[in-house]
Amino acid sequence: MAARKGLTLTDVLITVVIALVFAVIYSIWGGVYTALQPLGLHLNELVYGMWFIAAVVAYLIIRKPGVAIIAEFAAASGETIVMLQFDVMLMLYGLIQGLACEVVFAIVKYKSTALMISVLAGVAAALSTLPLDWYYGYLGHLETWNLLLMVGFRVLSGALIAGWLAHLLYRALKETGVLKLVGERKANHSEGL
Protein backbone atom coordinates (compact mmCIF):
# COMPACT_ATOMS: atom_id res chain seq x y z
CA MET A 1 0.00 0.00 0.00
CA ALA A 2 1.41 3.41 -0.97
CA ALA A 3 1.96 6.00 1.73
CA ARG A 4 -0.46 8.93 1.60
CA LYS A 5 1.10 12.35 1.15
CA GLY A 6 -1.68 14.31 2.83
CA LEU A 7 -2.63 14.21 6.47
CA THR A 8 -4.69 11.24 7.55
CA LEU A 9 -7.10 11.25 10.45
CA THR A 10 -4.52 9.28 12.43
CA ASP A 11 -1.88 11.95 11.70
CA VAL A 12 -4.20 14.71 12.91
CA LEU A 13 -5.19 12.80 16.04
CA ILE A 14 -1.57 12.05 16.95
CA THR A 15 -0.68 15.69 16.33
CA VAL A 16 -3.49 16.88 18.60
CA VAL A 17 -2.48 14.43 21.35
CA ILE A 18 1.10 15.75 21.15
CA ALA A 19 -0.29 19.29 21.29
CA LEU A 20 -2.43 18.54 24.34
CA VAL A 21 0.54 17.09 26.21
CA PHE A 22 2.49 20.24 25.45
CA ALA A 23 -0.49 22.46 26.32
CA VAL A 24 -0.25 21.14 29.88
CA ILE A 25 3.53 21.61 29.87
CA TYR A 26 3.13 25.15 28.46
CA SER A 27 0.72 26.15 31.22
CA ILE A 28 3.11 24.84 33.89
CA TRP A 29 6.08 26.42 32.12
CA GLY A 30 4.57 29.87 32.60
CA GLY A 31 5.53 29.56 36.28
CA VAL A 32 9.14 28.83 35.38
CA TYR A 33 9.23 31.82 33.03
CA THR A 34 7.66 34.10 35.64
CA ALA A 35 9.99 32.88 38.39
CA LEU A 36 13.01 33.91 36.30
CA GLN A 37 11.72 37.42 35.51
CA PRO A 38 12.86 39.08 38.76
CA LEU A 39 16.43 37.96 38.10
CA GLY A 40 16.69 40.56 35.34
CA LEU A 41 18.83 40.65 32.20
CA HIS A 42 16.08 38.74 30.39
CA LEU A 43 17.18 35.42 31.87
CA ASN A 44 13.56 34.31 31.55
CA GLU A 45 14.02 34.38 27.77
CA LEU A 46 16.37 31.40 28.13
CA VAL A 47 13.31 29.21 28.80
CA TYR A 48 10.99 30.84 26.23
CA GLY A 49 11.75 28.16 23.64
CA MET A 50 9.53 25.65 25.41
CA TRP A 51 6.53 27.39 23.82
CA PHE A 52 7.76 26.39 20.33
CA ILE A 53 8.51 22.72 20.97
CA ALA A 54 5.14 21.16 20.05
CA ALA A 55 5.51 22.07 16.37
CA VAL A 56 8.99 20.58 16.12
CA VAL A 57 8.18 17.35 17.98
CA ALA A 58 5.01 16.81 15.94
CA TYR A 59 6.89 17.40 12.69
CA LEU A 60 9.68 15.01 13.62
CA ILE A 61 7.13 12.29 14.32
CA ILE A 62 4.69 12.86 11.41
CA ARG A 63 6.78 14.73 8.78
CA LYS A 64 3.87 15.99 6.69
CA PRO A 65 2.78 19.47 5.60
CA GLY A 66 0.54 21.26 8.08
CA VAL A 67 1.52 19.26 11.16
CA ALA A 68 3.63 22.03 12.71
CA ILE A 69 0.86 24.62 12.37
CA ILE A 70 -1.78 22.26 13.76
CA ALA A 71 0.43 21.20 16.67
CA GLU A 72 1.44 24.69 17.75
CA PHE A 73 -2.02 26.18 17.31
CA ALA A 74 -3.65 23.28 19.17
CA ALA A 75 -1.06 23.50 21.96
CA ALA A 76 -1.64 27.25 22.36
CA SER A 77 -5.41 26.73 22.28
CA GLY A 78 -5.14 23.87 24.76
CA GLU A 79 -3.03 26.07 27.02
CA THR A 80 -5.87 28.59 27.21
CA ILE A 81 -8.21 25.76 28.23
CA VAL A 82 -5.83 24.42 30.87
CA MET A 83 -5.35 27.93 32.28
CA LEU A 84 -9.13 28.51 32.18
CA GLN A 85 -8.75 31.82 30.36
CA PHE A 86 -9.53 32.32 26.70
CA ASP A 87 -6.72 34.24 24.99
CA VAL A 88 -6.95 34.89 21.26
CA MET A 89 -3.48 36.45 21.19
CA LEU A 90 -1.95 33.31 22.66
CA MET A 91 -3.54 31.32 19.84
CA LEU A 92 -2.26 33.87 17.30
CA TYR A 93 1.26 33.43 18.68
CA GLY A 94 0.85 29.65 18.33
CA LEU A 95 -0.33 30.00 14.74
CA ILE A 96 2.60 32.25 13.78
CA GLN A 97 5.16 30.04 15.56
CA GLY A 98 3.78 26.95 13.82
CA LEU A 99 3.89 28.74 10.47
CA ALA A 100 7.52 29.75 11.01
CA CYS A 101 8.45 26.13 11.72
CA GLU A 102 6.41 24.99 8.73
CA VAL A 103 8.49 27.22 6.42
CA VAL A 104 11.71 25.53 7.59
CA PHE A 105 10.22 22.06 7.13
CA ALA A 106 8.89 22.96 3.67
CA ILE A 107 12.39 23.98 2.59
CA VAL A 108 13.57 20.40 3.21
CA LYS A 109 10.36 19.04 1.66
CA TYR A 110 9.28 17.45 4.95
CA LYS A 111 11.92 14.74 4.60
CA SER A 112 14.65 15.62 7.07
CA THR A 113 14.72 14.80 10.76
CA ALA A 114 18.23 16.19 11.13
CA LEU A 115 19.14 18.01 14.32
CA MET A 116 20.03 21.14 12.33
CA ILE A 117 16.52 21.31 10.86
CA SER A 118 15.01 21.11 14.35
CA VAL A 119 17.35 23.85 15.56
CA LEU A 120 16.54 26.07 12.57
CA ALA A 121 12.80 25.58 13.17
CA GLY A 122 13.26 26.58 16.82
CA VAL A 123 15.17 29.68 15.78
CA ALA A 124 12.53 30.56 13.16
CA ALA A 125 9.77 30.21 15.76
CA ALA A 126 11.69 32.44 18.18
CA LEU A 127 12.18 35.12 15.54
CA SER A 128 8.52 34.89 14.49
CA THR A 129 7.39 36.08 17.93
CA LEU A 130 9.27 39.37 17.71
CA PRO A 131 6.93 41.27 15.33
CA LEU A 132 3.95 40.58 17.61
CA ASP A 133 5.97 41.58 20.66
CA TRP A 134 6.96 44.77 18.85
CA TYR A 135 3.33 45.44 17.96
CA TYR A 136 2.35 45.21 21.62
CA GLY A 137 4.87 47.94 22.27
CA TYR A 138 7.19 46.72 24.95
CA LEU A 139 10.14 45.94 22.68
CA GLY A 140 10.28 49.52 21.42
CA HIS A 141 10.93 50.77 24.95
CA LEU A 142 14.09 48.72 25.46
CA GLU A 143 17.58 50.10 25.02
CA THR A 144 19.43 48.58 22.06
CA TRP A 145 21.78 46.47 24.22
CA ASN A 146 18.82 45.22 26.24
CA LEU A 147 16.82 44.35 23.12
CA LEU A 148 19.79 42.48 21.61
CA LEU A 149 20.25 40.54 24.85
CA MET A 150 16.57 39.61 24.96
CA VAL A 151 16.47 38.55 21.30
CA GLY A 152 19.73 36.63 21.65
CA PHE A 153 18.46 34.70 24.67
CA ARG A 154 15.13 33.96 22.96
CA VAL A 155 16.84 32.69 19.81
CA LEU A 156 19.25 30.59 21.90
CA SER A 157 16.28 29.16 23.79
CA GLY A 158 14.49 28.38 20.53
CA ALA A 159 17.57 26.58 19.25
CA LEU A 160 18.21 24.62 22.45
CA ILE A 161 14.74 23.86 23.79
CA ALA A 162 12.54 23.82 20.67
CA GLY A 163 15.33 22.47 18.49
CA TRP A 164 17.82 20.32 20.37
CA LEU A 165 15.47 19.13 23.14
CA ALA A 166 12.71 18.33 20.63
CA HIS A 167 15.18 16.30 18.61
CA LEU A 168 16.36 14.53 21.75
CA LEU A 169 12.73 13.62 22.61
CA TYR A 170 12.18 12.37 19.06
CA ARG A 171 15.31 10.20 19.15
CA ALA A 172 14.29 8.77 22.54
CA LEU A 173 10.81 7.94 21.25
CA LYS A 174 12.28 6.42 18.09
CA GLU A 175 14.56 4.18 20.15
CA THR A 176 11.51 2.72 21.94
CA GLY A 177 10.03 1.65 18.59
CA VAL A 178 6.70 3.43 19.13
CA LEU A 179 7.14 5.56 16.02
CA LYS A 180 7.17 2.66 13.54
CA LEU A 181 3.46 3.00 12.82
CA VAL A 182 3.10 6.78 12.57
CA GLY A 183 4.07 9.49 10.14
CA GLU A 184 6.15 9.03 7.05
CA ARG A 185 7.40 5.45 7.04
CA LYS A 186 9.98 5.74 4.29
CA ALA A 187 13.62 5.43 5.29
CA ASN A 188 14.84 7.96 2.70
CA HIS A 189 14.83 10.95 5.02
CA SER A 190 17.92 12.54 6.48
CA GLU A 191 18.77 12.05 10.14
CA GLY A 192 22.24 13.55 10.01
CA LEU A 193 23.18 17.02 11.18
Side-chain angles (χ1 to χ4, degrees), residues 6 35 38 43 70 72 145 150 166 170 174:
L43 292 178
I70 293 169
E72 204 58 49
W145 72 269
M150 189 216 92
Y170 162 72
K174 188 174 180 196

Side-chain angles (χ1 to χ4, degrees), residues 10-22 58 70-71 74-75:
T10 303
D11 295 333
V12 173
L13 291 175
I14 290 169
T15 302
V16 170
V17 168
I18 292 166
L20 292 177
V21 167
F22 282 107
I70 293 169

Side-chain angles (χ1 to χ4, degrees), residues 163-182:
W164 177 77
L165 182 59
H167 196 268
L168 189 67
L169 287 170
Y170 162 72
R171 297 292 298 181
L173 283 170
K174 188 174 180 196
E175 290 296 317
T176 68
V178 299
L179 301 182
K180 289 180 183 174
L181 300 175
V182 297

Side-chain angles (χ1 to χ4, degrees), residues 1-114:
M1 184 165 110
R4 290 182 59 187
K5 292 206 183 267
L7 290 174
T8 65
L9 179 59
T10 303
D11 295 333
V12 173
L13 291 175
I14 290 169
T15 302
V16 170
V17 168
I18 292 166
L20 292 177
V21 167
F22 282 107
V24 172
I25 292 169
Y26 288 1
S27 63
I28 295 167
W29 203 251
V32 174
Y33 183 81
T34 303
L36 291 174
Q37 278 180 323
L39 300 177
L41 293 177
H42 299 291
L43 292 178
N44 55 328
E45 294 295 325
L46 290 171
V47 298
Y48 200 91
M50 182 58 77
W51 282 292
F52 319 139
I53 197 170
V56 180
V57 170
Y59 161 75
L60 289 170
I61 292 171
I62 306 294
R63 287 185 310 282
K64 290 185 179 178
V67 166
I69 292 174
I70 293 169
E72 204 58 49
F73 180 74
S77 301
E79 183 182 4
T80 68
I81 294 168
V82 171
M83 294 186 322
L84 299 175
Q85 61 184 42
F86 185 73
D87 189 347
V88 173
M89 292 317 300
L90 190 61
M91 291 186 280
L92 181 59
Y93 270 94
L95 189 63
I96 290 171
Q97 292 159 6
L99 182 60
C101 290
E102 200 76 45
V103 168
V104 172
F105 304 141
I107 290 170
V108 295
K109 299 180 181 166
Y110 300 93
K111 292 184 179 171
S112 178
T113 58

